[in-house]
Amino acid sequence: MSFKTKIDGARAVLAFDNWPILLLGRLLYRETGLVVYCKKNLEILVDHLGGDENGTRECIVGNMYRKYVPLFHFPEPARVLDIGANGGGFPLMLMLEGVKLASVVSVEMNPVTYSRLLINLTNNIGPSTAINAAVSGADAPATILLTPSRGGTGYAMNSNSASASTPHVAVKTTTLESLCDEYFRGQDIDICKIDIEGAEYDVLDSTHDDLLRRIRYLIIEFHEASRTGMVLSRLAELGFSDLTQQENGRTGSKTEVRAFSGPLARV
């Protein structure tokens, strides 16, 4: 771990109300994974051995998604669909930024990370929906086999696939359309966040135009620059405006987060 990483981690810890005990715990008990972070009236379970400091915690105190919230304008309370939810940091961040939530549907592929997602949503948001599934572009529901893992923001269908003859966990698949039909039937979605480690292209390709137009604001982390251009062109044709500034969208050498306002945002 680099010195800069340690400094950035300490700064992130200082953003929470119980920072003294968190810092002491990180100094004296670094082998401990599960830690409760407190901010305002929220108690957030974070697993340092599952990479949640780069997922749940970073989502809450980092600027990757938070910088876009002031650009969002919608009739509150908001309906939220979080695909690639990790431990639930995205809707918790919205709450901390003052966004009132009408309904939250969060989807996480890793079964162990999903268990933390369920705790964080139930503890802090109340009535909400947590789903353990892999969102894909496949038409028919299926079951995929994945390598067991405590978590991690890079956990992906392709890179973490397993066979029946090796240690594995079985996870069902679903689609964006299925999620909308089951949980948002007849309703618009105010914010949809998608961060699914490269699967975003197939998911969007398989989603009908009419459904995408029902999303007021769309936030996507893109993982393959060679495929992103086609998505941007399609969204522009559907009436979406790109809210991203080139200098602040980049999140890594191969990844970038972009936010879009759809036609509903102008109604």
Side-chain angles (χ1 to χ4, degrees), residues 18-260:
N18 61 332
W19 64 266
I21 194 167
L22 290 172
L23 278 182
L24 186 63
R26 298 311 297 157
L27 286 171
L28 300 180
Y29 304 102
R30 292 195 64 83
E31 69 278 7
T32 299
L34 294 171
V35 180
V36 174
Y37 282 70
C38 300
K39 193 167 180 66
K40 294 186 178 178
N41 61 336
L42 304 185
E43 294 180 346
I44 305 149
L45 182 63
V46 166
D47 187 1
H48 285 267
L49 298 182
D52 289 356
E53 70 276 14
N54 298 315
T56 306
R57 187 183 74 183
E58 177 62 20
C59 192
I60 291 170
V61 300
N63 211 28
M64 183 166 64
Y65 301 125
R66 192 159 52 92
K67 64 191 172 195
Y68 295 115
V69 176
L71 304 179
F72 298 159
H73 304 283
F74 41 75
E76 291 187 341
R79 292 182 286 267
V80 180
L81 175 57
D82 186 5
I83 300 176
N86 197 262
F90 184 71
L92 297 180
M93 177 274 294
L94 292 176
M95 288 181 65
L96 289 166
E97 291 299 307
V99 177
K100 295 180 175 62
L101 304 179
S103 61
V104 174
V105 176
S106 298
V107 189
E108 170 55 39
M109 181 175 68
N110 185 310
V112 182
T113 307
Y114 162 77
S115 66
R116 301 193 293 275
L117 167 68
L118 186 60
I119 290 171
N120 285 333
L121 292 187
T122 304
N123 240 20
N124 297 296
I125 296 178
S128 53
T129 302
I131 303 165
N132 181 207
V135 182
S136 73
D139 291 334
T143 298
I144 59 174
L145 304 182
L146 301 168
T147 55
S149 168
R150 191 157 171 166
T153 55
Y155 198 72
M157 280 186 282
N158 293 331
S159 58
N160 291 94
S161 62
S163 67
S165 61
T166 61
H168 64 269
V169 292
V171 177
K172 68 178 182 179
T173 66
T174 188
T175 64
L176 178 54
E177 297 215 5
S178 295
L179 292 168
C180 291
D181 286 344
E182 184 168 357
Y183 300 102
F184 298 95
R185 183 178 292 275
Q187 297 178 318
D188 298 325
I189 299 169
D190 292 305
I191 307 174
C192 176
K193 186 266 281 180
I194 302 175
D195 181 5
I196 45 178
E197 303 306 311
E200 62 272 9
Y201 302 100
D202 292 339
V203 168
L204 293 169
D205 286 347
S206 66
T207 302
H208 293 157
D209 291 349
D210 288 344
L211 191 154
L212 290 176
R213 289 193 186 99
R214 286 171 49 196
I215 301 172
R216 194 178 304 273
Y217 294 99
L218 184 59
I219 303 178
I220 309 170
E221 182 164 28
F222 293 107
H223 296 80
E224 296 181 40
S226 62
R227 302 180 67 183
T228 300
M230 293 184 64
V231 176
L232 299 182
S233 297
R234 181 188 176 199
L235 290 176
E237 290 174 0
L238 293 176
F240 282 82
S241 299
D242 193 342
L243 302 176
T244 316
Q245 297 179 5
Q246 287 297 120
E247 65 271 16
N248 68 10
R250 184 67 57 184
T251 55
S253 60
K254 297 181 179 179
T255 59
E256 63 175 343
V257 170
R258 287 181 174 268
F260 306 88

